[in-house]
Amino acid sequence: TDDRSTTVATLPLPPGALRLADLGVFSLTELAALDARGGYFLSRWQPGTALATPDGQRHELLPLLDAATAPVVDRPVRLGARQRLPARLLAVRVPQEVADQRRRRLRATARDKGRAVSAARLALCAWTVLVTNVPAARLAVREALVLARARWQIELLFRLWKSHQRVDEWRSANPWRILTEVYAKLLAVIVQHWLLLVGGWHVPDRSMVKAAQAIQGQALHLAAVFDEYPRLCQALQTVCCCVAGARLNKRKAAPATVQLLLALDLEAEPLA
């Protein structure tokens, strides 16, 4: 089922919650409703979204950024021609090599779809642009940049299921055998994720890949004691200890998201 058509997508978030979502589900109507309920959002800029100053004067994004004299922009705006949703426009100029990489990726995607890329879209590759309704006192630009990266963690979880459980692969042409295999793998994913939640979710620098490997290494042990409650409890404790010890390797050149999140309360580094 597509993300936009699930019932989860329409569930109201509690006041004070922060919504991090992909541009595929970007909706100013939903963001305005969230804002009215006391919720917050942080999103990448959706190309084509109407932009205005707080007093209602229309603006185009690219000329506004071109006029900036600093590499960081943080200014109040209103989003949408109808909604006029109060928000902050956050923009940071990226290094030239990052901009060039984005342009190559954008051209490749457009070429695959038989489309042309506008000069404005190519120019905007020089900036990372976000919109949010979180007040500046609660979310600095640097914090917003790091927090926006955390949305990718759900994609990494899906990738883990595909690469380790191979939920999108099967060994038969018989549709019923395929369905049985998919269900069996999804059941294994549920058990694995439950063990990951109870064993290592509280560890900030957990490695989902290492944790999955640790759980899979104990799979036969768990299966052997599944119908013996005392031994099963002992086996689960062993698995949880293994999962809690599955940590990410610290990286200097390309820090993991958790490293950046934990570093936010330290001395601010130059924006990149």
Side-chain angles (χ1 to χ4, degrees), residues 64-111:
L64 187 151
L65 296 179
D66 287 340
T69 57
V72 180
V73 174
D74 182 357
R75 59 178 299 167
V77 294
R78 289 186 177 272
L79 304 175
R82 292 187 298 103
Q83 292 84 0
R84 297 298 178 98
L85 177 61
R88 292 166 61 202
L89 177 71
L90 313 179
V92 177
R93 189 181 292 276
V94 302
Q96 186 62 45
E97 58 270 21
V98 175
D100 291 341
Q101 183 183 41
R102 290 178 176 179
R103 291 181 181 117
R104 287 193 297 269
R105 191 183 304 126
L106 189 62
R107 288 191 178 101
T109 301
R111 185 169 56 251

Side-chain angles (χ1 to χ4, degrees), residues 11 25 30 63 72 77 108 126 134 143 173 177:
L11 292 177
V25 292
E30 293 178 9
V72 180
V77 294
V134 183
E143 294 171 330
R177 288 183 178 272

